[in-house]
Amino acid sequence: ERVSTGYAGFDDILDGLRTGDNVVLKVDSIEDYRYFVGPFVDQALVDKKRVVYMRFGDHPPLIDPSPHITLYEFDPRQGFESFASRIHKVITDEGPGVFYVFDSLSELLSAWATDHMISNFFRVTCPYLFELDTVAYFALIRKHHNIRTIERIRDTTQVLIDIFRYEGQLHIQPLKVWQRRSPTMFLPHRKQGEKFLPLINSYDATQLINVISSNQQNSTSRELDHWYRLFLRKEMLLGTFPDTIREGFQKIIDYYGQYPIIIRSSSLLEDGFGNAFAGKYESFFCVNQGSPEDRLEQLEEAVRKVFASAMSEDPLSYRLQRGLDQQDEQMALLVQRVSGSYRQHYFFPELAGVGVSYNTFVWDKEMDPEAGMLRLVLGLGTRAVDRLDNDYPRIVALDAPQKRPHKGFEDARKFSQRDVDLLNISENCLQTVSTLAMTKQGVDIPWRRYAIQDQETMQRLQQRGGNKQDVWLLTFDPLFADKQFPQLLQRLLKTLERAYDYPVDVEFTVNFTADLGTKINVVQCRPLQTKGAEKAIDIPDSIPDEKTFFRTEGNFMGGNIAQPLKWVVWVEPAEYSRLPLTKKIRNSPLDRSSQQADRRQGRQPGHAPWPRTLGDVYPCHGRTDLVFRDQ
């Protein structure tokens, strides 16, 4: 018996439907599926057919409630056998000649986690419907299923239709129509009015097919089973990749050749507003040397490590501290060519660093926070991102680039960069090399552009019997003597800030051309971390001295903050400055030993973040708030 789809133009393409047909539509969205379900149901009701809606998906209903349509609801999470048995019982009870609409089969993925079960369900259900002379509509969402699942469904069904949109117009292309054919049946058809016209012009057809083919080739997920995609999100360092993913990795290796690359994290929370996540998720350099097989293995290992870092203790603790532990987090990856150039057997950029468009760490009341700030290093930017003991980036306020946060030559020597992170091409690894070793090796670096000679250290080395050796102190003073470089960085940061409509945090590299032209690469940009009050804080202009515990004038480090105050810790600056960096940080071994001493003496531990010998602790009673406001 011939049956109508509800669209005269659709009927013309297929020569109508037949009783017994199972019709599977491959669509991009549920809305496209609903577009064809509605007319099919309306026509069936006009033709006095019994219509049954099989509801099991989380998507919005395909059919509005009607006394003329029978609705059955199922829960696929009860398991494959229970779900399939209930479906078959309904089909048996309803008998022959019924018209069915099923929710999208892709909805079953979340319940069963594998394409294989979906194709099994279809292969046992479709023949039974065929025997009862029914007509049933099903849908598959594109890119949700692997090729084998699509082929098994294609082999079983009577009608398979590809539905897609191109340049805003709806297209259909029959992929299988059982026991029907025509000269144009299997061509792509474009909807015009109520008709679907075949693309008989070879130019139009070629252009359309090229776009479709390109989209399919660029989508590696189209061949992945849902089970593989699920475990790619869950397995860490011991995981293996499907062949299609490894083929994509091989294309990356072929594309970059033997240039060093970096694999970086990019997650929803990491790149969202209000949270820093700086250094929480890992980035890994691949020096990318060796055979193609070796380089592929390096890339795969780096990808595993980046994904594994999403589940490490540091980011999970950070999420918990900031109330993000219940928010959705999804990790993506960026693969970038490392910015830099070859210098002997090393590879690195001349300069790299971190820039922020709003300087929350101004140390001079004459500085403007809006001007922005840099942390600048020679070589890879890892030493500007991560805090390191006894090695320091150059801190630059962009409105006063030659001002340092310390005084005198001795401080400049103490708080300067001594080591350079770089990629060793010969040894195929990330390496840290001292500036002294680099001068000994004669590495081609324009030291006079970034550094001044440390004459005192040079004389001391000579007095100890060594050969005359250049010793450079990386102050970057010569670079900032010319205002063009800081002005260029400031324009860059402010341009990004305007685009974000929000202060930004940027990682960048700098390389210079032979004619001293400046090349700046922005390798990462994210909104600047903030931690403000939920409402505006108004501080009175004048407060009596007897009610003032302490006051600050001008700008201060850290930006606006409002927090309940429980303890005030007075730290003696001289004692504190003598501590090494690792012992200045709360929860350091020294801090933990102090807490253990508190417990032994019967005191409540954790009152002060530093040893009691450094200062005094004052408890604050009642509801006292400490409020800082940037003036």
Side-chain angles (χ1 to χ4, degrees):
E1 179 184 352
R2 196 174 186 274
V3 176
S4 174
T5 64
Y7 272 126
F10 201 7
D11 289 341
D12 291 339
I13 297 171
L14 303 177
D15 189 25
L17 300 177
R18 305 289 192 271
T19 54
D21 277 353
N22 290 276
V23 182
V24 180
L25 307 180
K26 287 177 58 181
V27 295
D28 290 318
S29 68
I30 287 297
E31 291 304 315
D32 283 347
Y33 182 33
R34 184 181 286 109
Y35 187 88
F36 288 89
V37 164
F40 168 70
V41 171
D42 292 343
Q43 186 63 49
L45 294 176
V46 169
D47 294 338
K48 308 295 185 184
K49 302 293 185 181
R50 180 167 175 78
V51 177
V52 172
Y53 180 24
M54 308 292 254
R55 176 80 170 135
F56 50 80
D58 292 330
H59 58 66
L62 299 169
I63 304 173
D64 294 330
S66 168
H68 306 293
I69 299 173
T70 303
L71 170 67
Y72 292 94
E73 294 184 279
F74 307 88
D75 183 5
R77 292 170 180 81
Q78 294 180 357
F80 174 86
E81 186 173 349
S82 173
F83 179 83
S85 297
R86 291 188 60 205
I87 292 279
H88 279 236
K89 184 177 186 305
V90 167
I91 294 172
T92 301
D93 293 342
E94 288 290 341
V98 178
F99 282 31
Y100 289 94
V101 173
F102 286 75
D103 273 352
S104 168
L105 294 175
S106 302
E107 291 289 302
L108 299 173
L109 285 173
S110 60
W112 297 344
T114 174
D115 284 2
H116 188 69
M117 300 295 285
I118 292 175
S119 59
N120 282 348
F121 168 73
F122 189 84
R123 284 163 65 91
V124 298
T125 305
C126 173
Y128 192 34
L129 292 168
F130 178 81
E131 291 176 4
L132 293 173
D133 287 334
T134 67
V135 178
Y137 268 47
F138 301 84
L140 296 170
I141 305 298
R142 200 181 325 278
K143 298 181 182 179
H144 280 53
H145 306 275
N146 66 12
I147 288 178
R148 177 162 175 75
T149 295
I150 300 296
E151 289 305 314
R152 295 180 78 197
I153 290 175
R154 176 181 184 141
D155 291 342
T156 309
T157 194
Q158 286 74 43
V159 179
L160 177 63
I161 309 290
D162 199 7
I163 297 171
F164 53 93
R165 294 182 183 271
Y166 174 64
E167 295 184 341
Q169 293 182 297
L170 184 69
H171 294 71
I172 64 174
Q173 182 174 10
L175 303 178
K176 178 181 180 180
V177 183
W178 189 56
Q179 291 188 342
R180 278 152 282 175
R181 65 188 58 186
S182 74
T184 60
M185 178 178 287
F186 297 101
L187 296 180
H189 292 68
R190 179 178 295 145
K191 188 175 188 298
Q192 294 186 358
E194 291 301 311
K195 296 183 178 181
F196 289 91
L197 303 180
L199 300 185
I200 56 177
N201 181 290
S202 60
Y203 174 81
D204 292 339
T206 300
Q207 188 176 35
L208 175 64
I209 293 171
N210 283 342
V211 171
I212 296 172
S213 299
S214 177
N215 290 339
Q216 291 176 344
Q217 290 171 1
N218 291 334
S219 174
T220 55
S221 64
R222 68 192 176 90
E223 297 185 2
L224 290 183
D225 184 275
H226 183 73
W227 187 256
Y228 281 114
R229 291 197 296 270
L230 182 66
F231 272 82
L232 277 178
R233 295 196 298 267
K234 298 299 183 183
E235 292 184 321
M236 302 306 172
L237 294 178
L238 299 180
T240 58
F241 298 100
D243 290 342
T244 51
I245 294 295
R246 299 191 80 236
E247 289 171 6
F249 288 163
Q250 187 62 60
K251 291 179 181 178
I252 291 175
I253 294 298
D254 295 340
Y255 174 78
Y256 286 112
Q258 287 188 277
Y259 283 106
I261 57 177
I262 182 171
I263 293 82
R264 311 177 66 103
S265 64
S266 178
S267 77
L268 290 179
L269 296 180
E270 178 185 18
D271 294 332
F273 281 76
N275 302 297
F277 276 88
K280 303 301 181 186
Y281 294 146
E282 298 287 355
S283 295
F284 290 94
F285 289 97
C286 285
V287 187
N288 205 20
Q289 303 301 302
S291 67
E293 293 77 17
D294 292 338
R295 290 186 284 127
L296 177 60
E297 184 177 346
Q298 293 173 36
L299 174 60
E300 290 182 350
E301 184 66 12
V303 170
R304 291 188 192 97
K305 288 179 178 178
V306 172
F307 276 119
S309 71
M311 301 302 294
S312 60
E313 181 178 355
D314 200 20
L316 292 178
S317 299
Y318 182 81
R319 290 177 61 186
L320 185 63
Q321 291 166 3
R322 298 188 65 86
L324 304 172
D325 52 308
Q326 298 301 315
Q327 293 194 22
D328 184 33
E329 175 66 311
Q330 296 183 30
M331 177 67 76
L333 297 180
L334 297 174
V335 181
Q336 298 172 311
R337 180 184 285 110
V338 177
S339 172
S341 58
Y342 291 92
R343 292 174 171 84
Q344 295 181 4
H345 56 287
Y346 297 136
F347 187 96
F348 58 93
E350 285 199 33
L351 304 175
V354 173
V356 292
S357 62
Y358 184 89
N359 184 1
T360 59
F361 295 96
V362 293
W363 62 88
D364 189 300
K365 63 181 180 181
E366 300 299 325
M367 291 177 179
D368 180 10
E370 295 285 346
M373 181 266 285
L374 306 179
R375 297 197 300 273
L376 191 69
V377 295
L378 180 72
L380 297 173
T382 46
R383 305 187 84 75
V385 174
D386 301 322
R387 294 186 64 184
L388 301 168
D389 198 7
N390 297 323
D391 205 54
Y392 302 88
R394 170 67 193 271
I395 306 299
V396 184
L398 287 173
D399 57 334
Q402 291 185 288
K403 275 191 177 181
R404 299 196 192 112
H406 47 261
K407 302 290 185 181
F409 189 80
E410 282 303 317
D411 276 356
R413 178 187 287 129
K414 180 179 180 181
F415 299 108
S416 65
Q417 180 185 358
R418 295 174 177 81
D419 297 315
V420 179
D421 286 349
L422 44 75
L423 302 178
N424 189 318
I425 301 300
S426 299
E427 298 185 18
N428 201 21
C429 66
L430 173 66
Q431 199 171 66
T432 300
V433 181
S434 69
T435 55
L436 192 61
M438 295 180 76
T439 56
K440 284 183 178 180
Q441 296 172 24
V443 179
D444 180 24
I445 294 176
W447 293 105
R448 295 188 185 278
R449 188 186 299 165
Y450 313 127
I452 59 175
Q453 282 191 323
D454 187 349
Q455 297 289 347
E456 182 180 332
T457 302
M458 290 168 62
Q459 292 173 5
R460 194 183 309 124
L461 290 175
Q462 239 179 328
Q463 290 169 359
R464 293 175 182 173
N467 296 326
K468 185 176 181 181
Q469 163 106 30
D470 286 336
V471 179
W472 295 97
L473 198 61
L474 282 168
T475 63
F476 298 98
D477 286 347
L479 179 68
F480 291 110
D482 182 355
K483 294 183 178 180
Q484 288 186 351
F485 182 73
Q487 289 173 351
L488 177 62
L489 267 297
Q490 190 175 50
R491 289 202 306 273
L492 182 150
L493 291 170
K494 289 303 175 183
T495 299
L496 290 170
E497 182 182 75
R498 286 192 296 271
Y500 274 66
D501 194 23
Y502 198 84
V504 292
D505 178 341
V506 169
E507 294 178 29
F508 64 91
T509 62
V510 181
N511 294 282
F512 296 95
T513 60
D515 59 355
L516 296 184
T518 305
K519 299 289 187 182
I520 299 179
N521 289 325
V522 176
V523 297
Q524 184 160 296
C525 180
R526 60 164 67 96
L528 183 64
Q529 177 192 12
T530 60
K531 190 176 183 181
E534 293 182 0
K535 57 183 179 180
I537 302 295
D538 293 322
I539 301 177
D541 293 332
S542 60
I543 300 176
D545 288 343
E546 62 270 17
K547 293 188 177 181
T548 302
F549 188 76
F550 63 87
R551 70 172 74 240
T552 65
E553 294 183 1
N555 297 309
F556 57 85
M557 294 187 180
N560 298 343
I561 189 171
Q563 292 288 338
L565 180 64
K566 295 182 179 179
W567 296 90
V568 173
V569 181
W570 174 257
V571 179
E572 292 292 340
E575 293 291 332
Y576 178 75
S577 65
R578 281 194 282 269
L579 290 176
L581 177 62
T582 54
K583 294 185 179 180
K584 291 178 181 177
I585 303 173
R586 188 179 178 90
N587 291 327
S588 67
L590 186 58
D591 179 34
R592 288 194 292 273
S593 66
S594 175
Q595 293 179 6
Q596 292 167 0
D598 281 342
R599 291 189 181 94
R600 286 195 297 270
Q601 297 180 31
R603 296 193 300 264
Q604 180 67 27
H607 289 173
W610 299 285
R612 296 287 173 86
T613 57
L614 291 183
D616 299 315
V617 180
Y618 304 90
C620 296
H621 302 290
R623 296 185 60 190
T624 305
D625 284 344
L626 175 65
V627 178
F628 288 131
R629 181 175 63 188
D630 195 339
Q631 302 294 331

